[in-house]
Amino acid sequence: MHLDPFELHRPSSIDETTRLAGDLAGRFDYLAGGTDLLPNYKMHLNLRPHLIALDGVRELTGHDLGRIGAMERLADLERDAELLAEYPGFADALAEVATPLVRSSGTLGGNLLVETRCFFFNQSYFWRASLGFCLKADGDRCHVVPQKEKCYATFSGDLAPALMALGADVEVAGAGGRRRFPLAQLYDAAGDGIRRTRLAPGELVVAVHLPPEARGLRGRYKKLRVRPSYDFPELGVAVAGRWDDGGRVERLALAIGGAESYPKRFDDLTAPLEGSSLTDERVRALAEEVAKRVRPVHNTFLLPDYRKRMVDVYVRRAIHEARRGPAA
Ligand SMILES: Cc1cc2nc3c(=O)[nH]c(=O)nc-3n(C[C@H](O)[C@H](O)[C@H](O)COP(=O)(O)OP(=O)(O)OC[C@H]3O[C@@H](n4cnc5c(N)ncnc54)[C@H](O)[C@@H]3O)c2cc1C
Ligand code: SF4
């Protein structure tokens, strides 16, 4: 596998970046740490002739407890003990992304926009050619659900569910200026494994903002994967909540990734539990209902039926462990 030539652009401000994006419309990708994009380029997956590197744009870096720049390296976030203590579910998720080596280059923005995955897509050009390619790259059919004209590739980022459970907002910039909205709305529930976000053409992620009420929430992220040292999620369950001294729920949010083409929150199921005490019976009912709504397909290593059953198990575990809080 080799990397084909491309032209590299290195803007130093957001305005310069969005101007370049306009000039190169449809012919470029943004390049952050490159840990996802460049391996995909080596497999000749949806190559573009131009890359706009974001590492020279200072406004995209830096973090504190309320804001994390899109170009922050995951390893730098992992070294911030205060951040990890304040957001334990996010800390779990960070520690589970890929390997330490990948996290030393990989960034937050790249993680939120990591390419969706499928075992008919993440293959060499020749492997894919032997099957006649697929909708997501170079072809006109789906090998997973051949009756449908949409792609079911799986969203496989670990950080989005954890940040969504915390109620994070995302800030984006484009030709139309800046926008800020709930992170959950970055992902397009009406899209598919190809059209997976609601970003306008050329828009880039600037930062993630964490609301003050997210601080100190108890949280947990449970990840199902084949090789714990390395693999993408086959399922990721994030929980963030607060309980009063009597054990009643003050706030509870739950988000799931790694199972479908976009990560999602289940507010209509968790909001009614606020104000009540979270008995084992209620947790079981919640977990079963969430599992009913998650529909993995057979495009990752583990079978969809198993992944679906693990939704129930991981939701229960994540809530119990979050409620218990950190070991003294
Ligand atoms: C061996 C291996 C294992 C991995 N395992 C995991 C895993 O377990 N969990 C997981 O979540 N990820 C995993 N990854 C994927 C990847 O390494 C991480 O998601 C990483 O955080 C991606 O960040 P990056 O900066 O390298 O993104 P890049 O590769 O630079 O970019 C990824 C995508 O995001 C776009 N992009 C990047 N930044 C921006 C921005 N600011 N605005 C708009 N678009 C942007 C790029 O154009 C590209 O499409 C793995 C990768 C490898 C190689
Ligand atoms: S789900 Fe179908 S269209 Fe999407 S990557 Fe897999 S085979 Fe291709």
Side-chain angles (χ1 to χ4, degrees):
M1 287 191 287
H2 65 274
L3 208 47
D4 276 13
F6 50 77
E7 193 174 333
L8 185 67
H9 306 263
R10 297 195 68 203
S12 56
S13 69
I14 289 185
D15 283 350
E16 194 187 342
T17 307
T18 54
R19 252 196 321 275
L20 253 176
D23 294 345
L24 299 172
R27 293 179 293 135
F28 80 93
D29 276 315
Y30 287 121
L31 175 68
T35 59
D36 185 51
L37 188 75
L38 296 181
N40 286 344
Y41 268 36
K42 285 186 183 169
M43 292 201 274
H44 283 222
L45 292 164
N46 299 327
L47 299 181
R48 303 259 200 278
H50 299 269
L51 288 185
I52 303 182
L54 299 174
D55 59 345
V57 183
R58 285 203 44 194
E59 201 193 323
L60 300 179
T61 57
H63 76 266
D64 55 33
L65 292 181
R67 175 192 182 276
I68 306 177
M71 280 301 286
E72 284 293 272
R73 309 268 170 200
L74 305 188
D76 291 331
L77 299 177
E78 257 184 308
R79 279 191 279 270
D80 183 337
E82 197 186 359
L83 185 81
L84 303 188
E86 206 66 54
Y87 305 119
F90 179 61
D92 284 348
L94 258 181
E96 299 254 22
V97 175
T99 63
L101 186 63
V102 172
R103 296 198 296 273
S104 69
S105 299
T107 64
L108 174 66
N111 193 275
L112 296 179
L113 293 171
V114 69
E115 188 56 89
T116 50
R117 297 180 67 79
C118 166
F119 54 39
F120 292 100
F121 174 71
N122 300 103
Q123 301 288 352
S124 70
Y125 185 85
F126 298 103
W127 194 102
R128 292 183 294 114
S130 70
L131 279 187
F133 302 107
C134 80
L135 285 170
K136 193 162 162 64
D138 308 309
D140 58 5
R141 76 189 93 156
C142 174
H143 304 294
V144 178
V145 188
Q147 310 85 322
K148 296 270 173 70
E149 287 188 354
K150 69 181 263 195
C151 167
Y152 290 81
T154 303
F155 176 82
S156 304
D158 284 304
L159 300 183
L163 290 166
M164 281 163 54
L166 289 170
D169 278 352
V170 65
E171 179 185 347
V172 305
R178 304 273 180 124
R179 304 191 284 144
R180 181 172 157 172
F181 50 87
L183 177 61
Q185 291 173 18
L186 178 65
Y187 303 100
D188 190 356
D192 67 359
I194 299 169
R195 290 161 297 273
R196 60 197 199 283
T197 75
R198 291 203 180 104
L199 288 176
E203 263 184 329
L204 73 147
V205 172
V206 174
V208 163
H209 297 269
L210 289 150
E213 56 275 17
R215 294 194 191 158
L217 288 178
R218 291 187 190 169
R220 205 80 175 94
Y221 177 73
K222 304 290 291 180
K223 173 171 177 173
L224 176 68
R225 56 177 162 175
V226 180
R227 292 164 294 187
S229 59
Y230 171 92
D231 274 328
F232 283 86
E234 296 269 344
L235 170 69
V237 175
V239 161
R242 181 171 284 119
W243 284 262
D244 70 13
D245 294 340
R248 274 186 304 270
V249 185
E250 289 180 352
R251 179 195 185 280
L252 184 68
L254 181 102
I256 291 206
E260 298 178 3
S261 294
Y262 62 98
K264 55 187 183 190
R265 271 177 64 126
F266 294 84
D267 295 353
D268 61 321
L269 298 179
T270 54
L273 296 171
E274 291 177 1
S276 63
S277 99
L278 210 49
T279 58
D280 287 350
E281 191 46 51
R282 286 191 176 124
V283 174
R284 198 172 312 119
L286 169 67
E288 281 171 10
E289 192 53 39
V290 173
K292 266 190 222 157
R293 294 193 191 178
V294 176
R295 297 192 183 85
V297 295
H298 193 194
N299 65 354
T300 62
F301 188 80
L302 297 174
L303 291 174
D305 189 41
Y306 175 68
R307 288 161 70 205
K308 193 172 170 67
R309 276 192 274 155
M310 288 305 284
V311 174
D312 180 351
V313 175
Y314 274 23
V315 168
R316 281 187 280 130
R317 281 188 197 163
I319 291 177
H320 286 308
E321 291 174 23
R323 182 167 45 181
R324 201 168 56 220

